[in-house]
Amino acid sequence: MRRYLFTSESVTEGHPDKLCDLISDTILDECLRQDKNSRVAIETFASNNKITIAGQLTTNALIDIEKIARDTMKKIGYKNEFIDINPETCEININITKQSGDIAQGVDIGGAGDQGIMFGYACDETQEYMPFAISMAHRLSKKLTEVRKNGIIPYLGSDGKTQVTVEYEGDIPKRIDTVLISNQHLPEIELSTIRKDLIDKVIKVVIPKEYLDEKTKYYINPTGKFVIGGPLSDTGLTGRKIIVDTYGGYAHHGGGAFSGKDATKVDRSAAYMLRFIAKNIVANGYAKKCELQVSYGIGIAEPISIYIDTFGTSRIPEEEIIEKIKTKFDLTPKGIIDYLGLQEPIYTKTTNYGHFGKNELPWEKIIKM
């Protein structure tokens, strides 16, 4: 069987792009907490010691956007403008208008909030029906945050990245070839200490030992130093980690970002629904892996097209699976919102470590199909 390497990456919640995603999703959740019919399309930009929050917002909710932004930065663990950003003193600019009436007239009658294509994917490589590489990368990123906040490795900063390269034999992950971690740290800590701690207290705790061997390569802060992080070292922007948010490059992506958007935006809601259906196709034994695509037109309720690829693993014809989907599920925006309960303030749970593979989210439940 063909042997090959495949790599996926993840980032911690202190990565500047994820700061922006979390501010946008926190604004969304607070709007939905007060007004379930809120229309939200918010993007955040972070650079140096400045935050810009812009977009469209139509809601009856009364929210303090500046306070949300500052509280979010503190929650993540940012310190000051000399190493990342100062939550107390950073400049915050807000530029928000209402949703365009041209868009609203189509959405108000149940149509999609935009045109576009969306994908959903699932496979049987892991218990959560996610590709193995992205699953391991997310677990490492989450562990980096845990050991920092719990004081197990107290010198770590909030900004970090992980990357995992998996060696496959056919469709089976056999071993991990390479693990790469870059994480912000205090300036006085030696690289040798960081390397030992991250291998012993993060990598070997997270990754099952049967996937690590004497040939596995470990790259820890390969530049040798990572003191300056967050928006001081790199700009952050909502929606710039779309591959991290989905399947780590293992499946197609329609191009639309998730964070900061309410569920009338099918970029988000349809991608969630397709993940739900694909996961259940695999969980119910119809295929070992499954990818779905739908397309929508702005203001049009029903999807324009539905596509399926089970990569030669289906137990029944793909056309029969498509008919099951059409019969069982309402794929209009309203149908998706109602089925998955997408008017609830659940979106900050999605922001970090992937939008898929978390059992507490409604699109991850398993049903009988």
Side-chain angles (χ1 to χ4, degrees):
M1 301 180 83
R2 184 170 76 100
R3 296 186 80 96
Y4 59 94
L5 301 179
F6 189 87
T7 303
S8 293
E9 71 157 345
S10 180
V11 297
T12 66
E13 62 188 56
H15 186 282
D17 290 335
K18 279 296 156 191
L19 160 67
C20 295
D21 284 346
L22 188 56
I23 290 173
S24 298
D25 275 337
T26 305
I27 291 169
L28 170 61
D29 272 0
E30 187 53 39
C31 288
L32 293 175
R33 194 170 285 112
Q34 299 183 42
D35 177 5
K36 293 186 184 301
N37 295 311
S38 296
R39 301 276 173 80
V40 182
I42 295 295
E43 296 187 15
T44 304
F45 175 73
S47 179
N48 201 347
N49 206 39
K50 181 183 293 187
I51 300 288
T52 299
I53 302 169
Q56 294 76 47
L57 185 58
T58 303
T59 182
N60 292 318
L62 299 175
I63 60 173
D64 187 336
I65 290 176
E66 180 176 334
K67 185 177 187 302
I68 287 173
R70 295 192 190 280
D71 287 349
T72 300
M73 285 182 273
K74 293 174 188 175
K75 179 181 178 182
I76 289 171
Y78 287 111
K79 301 297 184 183
N80 61 66
E81 64 270 31
F82 302 109
I83 60 170
D84 38 47
I85 192 170
N86 190 326
E88 299 287 353
T89 63
C90 69
E91 181 182 345
I92 296 181
N93 296 322
I94 300 171
N95 183 13
I96 293 177
T97 60
K98 289 189 174 183
Q99 183 180 66
S100 162
D102 295 343
I103 297 174
Q105 67 181 352
V107 178
D108 289 345
I109 59 173
D114 202 353
Q115 72 173 50
I117 58 174
M118 300 86 208
F119 288 89
Y121 180 81
C123 62
D124 63 358
E125 292 180 19
T126 60
Q127 287 185 339
E128 61 268 30
Y129 297 94
M130 289 288 287
F132 186 73
I134 189 65
S135 179
M136 290 296 105
H138 282 325
R139 291 183 193 183
L140 289 172
S141 291
K142 189 174 183 180
K143 193 66 175 179
L144 287 172
T145 298
E146 289 177 1
V147 298
R148 170 176 62 90
K149 290 187 170 182
N150 294 336
I152 296 170
I153 310 181
Y155 58 77
L156 292 182
S158 58
D159 191 356
K161 286 186 172 184
T162 68
Q163 188 169 286
V164 177
T165 299
V166 178
E167 183 176 336
Y168 280 81
E169 186 178 275
D171 289 335
I172 308 299
K174 301 301 288 187
R175 58 180 292 274
I176 288 179
D177 181 79
T178 307
V179 179
L180 187 153
I181 295 179
S182 295
N183 204 102
Q184 190 181 9
H185 59 88
L186 294 177
E188 63 269 22
I189 308 300
E190 296 291 333
L191 180 58
S192 58
T193 300
I194 299 170
R195 177 180 172 83
K196 184 179 187 306
D197 282 346
L198 293 189
I199 291 175
D200 292 346
K201 300 176 182 178
V202 176
I203 296 173
K204 291 187 176 180
V205 172
V206 167
I207 297 178
K209 63 182 179 180
E210 61 265 27
Y211 292 102
L212 302 173
D213 57 33
E214 67 279 359
K215 293 183 179 180
T216 301
K217 298 179 285 293
Y218 303 100
Y219 296 113
I220 308 297
N221 284 4
T223 67
K225 183 180 179 182
F226 186 1
V227 174
I228 306 301
L232 185 58
S233 68
D234 193 9
T235 58
L237 181 65
T238 297
R240 199 158 54 183
K241 285 290 175 283
I242 59 176
I243 299 302
V244 172
D245 286 345
T246 52
Y247 307 101
Y250 206 86
H252 288 98
H253 196 295
F258 298 156
S259 290
K261 297 177 180 178
D262 74 86
T264 64
K265 282 74 174 175
V266 283
D267 279 341
R268 188 168 208 170
S269 55
Y272 289 171
M273 190 66 179
L274 290 187
R275 160 62 181 174
F276 171 74
I277 297 171
K279 180 176 180 178
N280 277 283
I281 287 170
V282 177
N284 279 267
Y286 294 124
K288 291 177 67 63
K289 61 171 72 173
C290 177
E291 183 175 71
L292 298 169
Q293 184 213 54
V294 293
S295 64
Y296 288 89
I298 189 167
I300 302 171
E302 295 287 345
I304 293 171
S305 65
I306 306 174
Y307 169 82
I308 186 171
D309 188 354
T310 57
F311 308 92
T313 70
S314 62
R315 292 173 51 208
I316 63 175
E318 291 178 344
E319 294 81 2
E320 189 175 329
I321 299 176
I322 289 287
E323 286 306 311
K324 283 180 176 289
I325 294 170
K326 289 180 177 179
T327 301
K328 189 171 184 65
F329 301 108
D330 180 352
L331 295 181
T332 65
K334 184 180 186 306
I336 293 171
I337 290 168
D338 290 346
Y339 190 88
L340 295 179
L342 297 183
Q343 289 182 307
E344 298 301 316
I346 58 174
Y347 295 98
T348 55
K349 296 178 183 178
T350 71
T351 312
N352 292 299
Y353 319 116
H355 289 241
F356 307 125
K358 301 172 181 174
N359 289 333
E360 69 270 22
L361 297 173
W363 47 91
E364 294 296 323
K365 65 185 176 181
I366 295 175
I367 62 169
K368 184 173 178 58
M369 284 185 65

